[in-house]
């Protein structure tokens, strides 16, 4: 069993989730159960799945949870674009969050490849 808190990818994903929660506080109230909830849930799912994967017994199981985290990262990436296009996020907010999610996806890809190469 690995300690997820020691993984740089988890740390970066956690920071992304915190940033998404902070930025979505300003979304319109009518979006509370729509885009606001969706983008918060998808961003939170990334570090959650990394943490859950750390509790698994095999690298194959861990890699599966990292793949799920990658799906959530892609979902978050789209929802950030939608929020920007709906003008819920400024260009600056969007650029920062998009760069962060892109970095998390890059880190996840590298980690998954490493786990699969070790098999």
């Amino acid at each position: 069993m690995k300690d997820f808190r020691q993984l740089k990818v988890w740390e970066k994903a956690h920071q992304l989730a915190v940033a998404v929660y902070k930025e979505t506080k300003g979304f319109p109230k009518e979006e509370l159960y729509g885009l606001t909830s969706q983008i918060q849930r998808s961003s939170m799912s990334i570090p959650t799945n990394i943490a859950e994967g750390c509790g698994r017994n095999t690298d194959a199981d861990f890699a599966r949870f990292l793949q799920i985290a990658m799906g959530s990262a892609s979902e978050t990436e789209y929802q950030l674009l939608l929020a920007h296009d709906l003008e819920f996020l400024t260009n600056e907010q969007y650029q920062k969050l998009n760069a962060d999610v892109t970095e998390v996806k890059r880190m996840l890809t590298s980690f998954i490849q490493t786990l699969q190469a070790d098999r």
Side-chain angles (χ1 to χ4, degrees):
M1 180 175 3
K2 301 166 185 68
D3 181 359
F4 64 87
R5 290 173 202 88
Q6 298 198 4
L7 297 175
K8 292 201 182 305
V9 67
W10 176 84
E11 184 179 330
K12 185 75 173 175
H14 174 70
Q15 291 169 355
L16 171 65
V18 169
V20 165
Y21 267 79
K22 288 179 179 178
E23 296 298 347
T24 56
K25 283 182 182 179
F27 280 19
K29 295 300 175 214
E30 62 268 15
E31 284 297 327
L32 183 60
Y33 301 106
L35 184 56
T36 305
S37 175
Q38 277 298 117
I39 198 168
Q40 289 174 345
R41 288 166 37 108
S42 67
S43 68
M44 176 182 47
S45 178
I46 305 165
T48 299
N49 277 291
I50 295 168
E52 186 172 354
C54 281
R56 300 301 169 148
N57 290 328
T58 67
D59 284 350
D61 283 343
F62 189 18
R64 187 168 53 86
F65 279 90
L66 294 177
Q67 290 283 4
I68 295 167
M70 178 69 82
S72 295
S74 293
E75 184 180 350
T76 301
E77 185 176 31
Y78 166 69
Q79 291 164 350
L80 290 170
L81 176 63
L82 179 60
H84 175 260
D85 289 351
L86 292 171
E87 299 179 350
F88 298 163
L89 291 172
T90 65
N91 282 335
E92 185 178 312
Q93 290 170 315
Y94 171 72
Q95 293 299 329
K96 171 70 171 104
L97 291 171
N98 189 59
D100 290 345
V101 76
T102 299
E103 177 69 5
V104 167
K105 288 177 70 175
R106 184 195 63 73
M107 293 171 80
L108 283 168
T109 298
S110 177
F111 201 175
I112 291 165
Q113 289 172 346
T114 299
L115 287 174
Q116 290 174 340
D118 289 345
R119 281 195 230 172

